[in-house]
Amino acid sequence: MLRKLRQSAAIALWHHPQHMPGPCIYPAISDRTAGRMPVETLEAQITRTLLPGMHLPPALKALFGWIEDNGLYIDRPDSTRIGFLFPEEALRESWTDDERQGGTNITFFAEGNANLKYWFGHARAEVLDRLCVFAKTGAEGSMAALWLAPDGTQKIVHLGSGSGSVTVCVLADDALDFLRLLAIGYDEICWGGELGSPPPREGEFVVHPNVAYQQWVRSRFATTIPEIGTEIVRHPEDMHIEDAADPFNRWVSANCA
């Protein structure tokens, strides 16, 4: 019952005008560009939001190229490009109370760290300049970001919205593992408590895998797709817990207002 209620809420939130990146109809590429100035690619837009010391990993560049090549994006009126892993119109048409197509629902866009002051409760540059948000992982506002860890390494991390997901952790130490995580096929990757089990293939609500994306990940990187998320996400912990094992969770606790 809880899963079904969450799915109903997700349909409304993902497709509410406040959250939808542009028009509700998934247009043809020619329709999107007709009569408009050229829009920067998703890779170019996200690259411009990177903070000093950050880089866009090759696997993310390849992902954004695959999104562009397959027309899996919408351009907002302000020219912000929003990328998907599955055509939005096909996803909406397949979405019922019991199932949907499309695998993991996630959107990619160039946000940077402009709004993280609200998440952290302060605007200290020495904290916020270590993060660059590049994706929305849940309909309730959870985010994925690049993080410059204190040891100088760059990781992909999760920032739960707090109003739904409270998962705060390292999602992947490298970008290829992040792509592999998305290929498993969870409804949304913001729910850390679900990552220890395979996505349900029967029951109250079933998300059918994004086969095209899975095939691309396997062939492009000569890799495999894990059975469960915790093969990659080692510590999918909640925010504000004591004695956290996850390094990003500990760093957030030390740096939140």
Side-chain angles (χ1 to χ4, degrees):
M1 178 60 70
L2 179 60
R3 176 179 289 273
K4 184 164 288 190
L5 289 172
R6 201 179 77 199
Q7 294 303 326
S8 298
I11 295 172
L13 282 168
W14 275 108
H15 302 139
H16 189 279
Q18 179 181 350
H19 297 278
M20 278 300 295
C24 289
I25 300 300
Y26 187 82
I29 295 176
S30 58
D31 294 337
R32 288 183 240 156
T33 57
R36 298 182 56 182
M37 293 294 291
V39 175
E40 280 189 313
T41 65
L42 187 60
E43 176 186 338
Q45 291 188 8
I46 291 176
T47 297
R48 285 195 291 105
T49 66
L50 298 179
L51 282 301
M54 292 183 176
H55 67 280
L56 196 62
L60 283 186
K61 291 182 180 182
L63 172 65
F64 299 149
W66 180 80
I67 287 171
E68 300 271 349
D69 291 344
N70 287 279
L72 298 173
Y73 62 84
I74 312 175
D75 294 328
R76 285 177 174 167
D78 66 358
S79 294
T80 298
R81 180 156 290 184
I82 312 295
F84 314 101
L85 296 181
F86 192 79
E88 281 289 275
E89 184 177 13
L91 185 147
R92 286 191 296 273
E93 289 177 349
S94 72
W95 205 325
T96 71
D97 288 341
D98 303 308
E99 63 180 349
R100 71 165 176 82
Q101 302 293 325
T104 294
N105 205 355
I106 186 170
T107 57
F108 302 95
F109 58 97
E111 178 163 326
N113 67 355
N115 296 313
L116 287 180
K117 59 188 176 183
Y118 305 111
W119 198 90
F120 278 89
H122 63 73
R124 289 160 41 204
E126 69 271 18
V127 174
L128 303 190
D129 285 357
R130 288 185 170 274
L131 289 159
C132 179
V133 175
F134 67 90
K136 182 173 75 170
T137 61
E140 32 63 85
S142 293
M143 303 170 284
L146 297 171
W147 174 52
L148 276 180
D151 64 2
T153 60
Q154 182 177 277
K155 305 177 188 298
I156 295 177
V157 297
H158 191 265
L159 299 94
S161 67
S163 61
S165 168
V166 291
T167 300
V168 174
C169 66
V170 173
L171 287 175
D173 288 327
D174 66 74
L176 177 53
D177 275 347
F178 177 66
L179 269 58
R180 295 171 67 230
L181 172 66
L182 297 179
I184 297 173
Y186 294 101
D187 181 22
E188 297 170 317
I189 59 168
C190 62
W191 309 103
E194 297 183 357
L195 300 181
S197 302
R201 299 304 181 209
E202 59 182 14
E204 288 189 347
F205 191 84
V206 174
V207 175
H208 299 283
N210 185 342
V211 176
Y213 175 70
Q214 289 179 332
Q215 291 175 342
W216 175 75
V217 169
R218 290 191 185 102
S219 62
R220 173 64 175 77
F221 300 99
T223 190
T224 59
I225 297 171
E227 292 293 323
I228 58 174
T230 47
E231 291 185 39
I232 294 172
V233 187
R234 291 191 290 272
H235 307 290
E237 297 174 333
D238 292 347
M239 58 178 68
H240 306 312
I241 67 168
E242 294 184 4
D243 302 319
D246 182 83
F248 182 63
N249 193 305
R250 294 196 303 268
W251 182 83
V252 165
S253 294
N255 287 286
C256 269

